[in-house]
Amino acid sequence: MILDRRAFVRTGLAGLAMMPSCLTRAQAANTIRIGVITDMSGVYRDVSGPTTVACAQQAADEFMAQNPDIRVEILVADHQNKPDVGLTIIRQWFDRGGVDLIENVGNSSIALGARGIIEDKKKAALITTAGSSDLTGKSCSPNWVHWSWDSWCLAHSTATSLVRVGGDRWFFITADYAFGHAAEADATKFVKAAGGRVLGSVRYPLGSTADFSSYLLQAQSSGANVIAFANSGSELIACLKQAQEFGIEGGGVRLAAMVGYITDVVGMSLPVAKGLSLTETFYWDLNERTRSFMGRVKPRLASGVFPNMSQAGDYAGVLHYLKAVKELGVARAKADGRAVVELMKRMPTDDDAFGRGSIREDGRKIHPAYLFEVKKPEESRGAGDVYKLVSTMPAEEAFRPLAEGGCVLSRS
């Protein structure tokens, strides 16, 4: 069953209480319910939203095709980027919605705030779009897995590589919430470690403006040769379009996205995004397996849409979770989300989006990271052909060392 934003608003939270009654007792006992809580209408709709739902459903359908005795239902709700809304949805889903796993959780403040609820209710969470590295650091949980990327990974890859090629004076334009703070802090550390300097930063409330001109002019006047954006979605697109209007990108200044997605690049077009530096851990045209995944999920997607690393993580993470449910048994999986997560960590991961990998004891999913540069329009062969691979960071280096995160689950 899919509950879109309109249905969610129409039925209200109380409506969730009635959902399990649609199932017979036998069906409910053998049914896993996954609640995809994401941005269906706001600034991060394109980087998560409907494509996230499509990728999660793809994983569920592939699993059920191989395991017809286990039923998987996908529910969807819009957190509207408001922690109070997101946490209310999660609590109601667990209390009266029969949800076993919350998935995507596309906002770091909501993810961090939900930890106590998830643990108290003995449920599980798969986090793919919330980016704070604290999720596997000081705020880690034995009940969740953090897939796809985090602020440490992207900052490490992007900042270190750019300083090495001369981008040694940085200025940040940062969304003022948990993820933005973490992304700026992590990148600042790597810039300095590589021998660069941070000349300044400016913060703005998430979702508060579409006019970034004053911030861009402040960054330009600082003398920085890298302007780094610790934001995402429509706000990143607005920043880059306005930077083009001011001629900043053509003036010897590199533009870098601390979180950038193919969905952003396609949305703003190559003439706007050309030359942008960013890191992703998935690209649909990277190899035969990624192209195979793209071919299977494409019929579910809107025209011209190519999944990004978070959305690929929705597919890969849900598939791995369901494999663990099968191994553990549905009844036990429904009773103990922590047990499912523990088994997910013990089982090697392998899927067409990320290939082979593993999940560490702190909940961090491990795989390579790729530094890309956005192609010029004349370099592209067609729709979706947007990236030039600059460098690959191997899995063992791509994420923060286990011993440095401060996670209480670490035995190091």
Side-chain angles (χ1 to χ4, degrees):
M1 177 178 184
I2 296 182
L3 178 69
D4 65 15
R5 181 174 182 268
R6 289 170 296 179
F8 179 74
V9 172
R10 184 171 62 249
T11 61
L13 289 169
L16 294 174
M18 298 183 289
M19 290 181 183
S21 64
C22 300
L23 299 174
T24 66
R25 184 170 299 177
Q27 286 176 319
N30 219 34
T31 297
I32 290 293
R33 286 195 149 199
I34 298 174
V36 178
I37 181 164
T38 187
D39 184 349
M40 296 294 287
S41 60
V43 295
Y44 296 148
R45 180 184 186 278
D46 290 342
V47 302
S48 51
T51 305
T52 275
V53 178
C55 290
Q57 190 67 59
Q58 181 70 29
D61 288 352
E62 288 183 13
F63 176 81
M64 287 189 289
Q66 297 295 320
N67 302 276
D69 56 324
I70 300 176
R71 180 180 173 87
V72 182
E73 294 188 344
I74 303 291
L75 281 70
V76 183
D78 186 350
H79 54 53
Q80 303 173 44
N81 285 302
K82 297 177 181 178
D84 58 336
V85 172
L87 296 180
T88 299
I89 292 168
I90 291 168
R91 186 178 294 278
Q92 291 279 9
W93 265 352
F94 289 159
D95 285 346
R96 290 180 281 176
V99 168
D100 304 297
L101 170 79
I102 57 168
E103 199 277 324
N104 187 263
V105 201
N107 181 297
S108 293
S109 298
I110 296 171
L112 292 166
R115 184 178 65 169
I117 302 172
I118 296 164
E119 293 177 0
D120 288 346
K121 302 297 181 180
K122 297 183 179 179
K123 302 295 186 176
L126 173 65
I127 302 167
T128 63
T129 303
S132 175
S133 56
D134 286 347
L135 290 162
T136 53
K138 63 182 182 181
S139 298
C140 67
S141 171
N143 291 60
W144 68 39
V145 171
H146 199 186
W147 209 283
S148 300
W149 62 277
D150 61 33
S151 56
W152 193 101
C153 166
L154 303 194
H156 181 218
S157 173
T158 304
T160 302
S161 299
L162 286 179
V163 172
R164 287 174 179 170
V165 296
D168 57 356
R169 302 187 308 278
W170 286 56
F171 189 98
F172 288 91
I173 296 177
T174 301
D176 191 8
Y177 75 118
F179 160 70
H181 299 171
E184 180 182 331
D186 286 336
T188 295
K189 177 175 63 177
F190 295 122
V191 167
K192 292 179 177 178
R197 293 179 293 153
V198 175
L199 303 183
S201 67
V202 63
R203 292 179 176 177
Y204 67 91
L206 178 68
S208 65
T209 184
D211 182 4
F212 296 90
S213 56
S214 63
Y215 307 136
L216 288 163
L217 292 173
Q218 186 177 341
Q220 188 178 31
S221 64
S222 72
N225 58 13
V226 175
I227 299 177
F229 302 102
N231 58 8
S232 188
S234 61
E235 293 181 332
L236 172 63
I237 294 172
C239 284
L240 291 171
K241 286 182 176 179
Q242 290 163 36
Q244 289 283 349
E245 292 170 4
F246 293 138
I248 293 175
E249 187 271 333
V253 177
R254 291 180 171 90
L255 304 180
M258 292 298 94
V259 177
Y261 295 107
I262 189 173
T263 38
D264 300 322
V265 173
V266 171
M268 70 184 83
S269 77
L270 294 184
V272 174
K274 65 180 188 298
L276 178 69
S277 298
L278 56 87
T279 293
E280 287 213 59
T281 57
F282 165 86
Y283 177 39
W284 74 271
D285 201 20
L286 192 65
N287 55 50
E288 289 301 323
R289 294 191 73 179
T290 57
R291 287 187 284 272
S292 176
F293 163 65
M294 180 64 199
R296 296 196 305 276
V297 77
K298 186 176 180 179
R300 299 180 184 273
L301 308 180
S303 177
V305 169
F306 296 84
N308 60 39
M309 59 183 166
S310 291
Q311 294 159 341
D314 296 313
Y315 164 81
V318 167
L319 192 61
H320 189 67
Y321 166 81
L322 292 172
K323 290 176 181 177
V325 167
K326 177 185 177 181
E327 185 73 19
L328 195 65
V330 173
R332 187 177 174 195
K334 292 177 72 65
D336 190 350
R338 182 178 299 188
V340 184
V341 171
E342 289 174 351
L343 183 55
M344 290 173 71
K345 293 176 182 179
R346 295 196 298 271
M347 296 169 57
T349 64
D350 192 7
D351 58 81
D352 283 346
F354 295 88
R356 295 180 180 178
S358 62
I359 301 172
R360 293 192 316 209
E361 56 203 84
D362 60 354
R364 177 67 260 164
K365 167 62 170 54
I366 301 299
H367 42 246
Y370 309 98
L371 179 67
F372 295 109
E373 180 181 306
V374 176
K375 290 183 174 182
K376 299 175 182 178
E378 60 270 23
E379 295 173 323
S380 175
R381 296 167 297 163
D385 180 28
V386 299
Y387 285 155
K388 292 187 290 187
L389 179 61
V390 176
S391 63
T392 300
M393 191 160 288
E396 59 271 18
E397 299 175 19
F399 293 90
R400 179 178 56 204
L402 184 63
E404 295 180 11
C407 174
V408 296
L409 304 175
S410 171
R411 293 190 293 269
S412 300

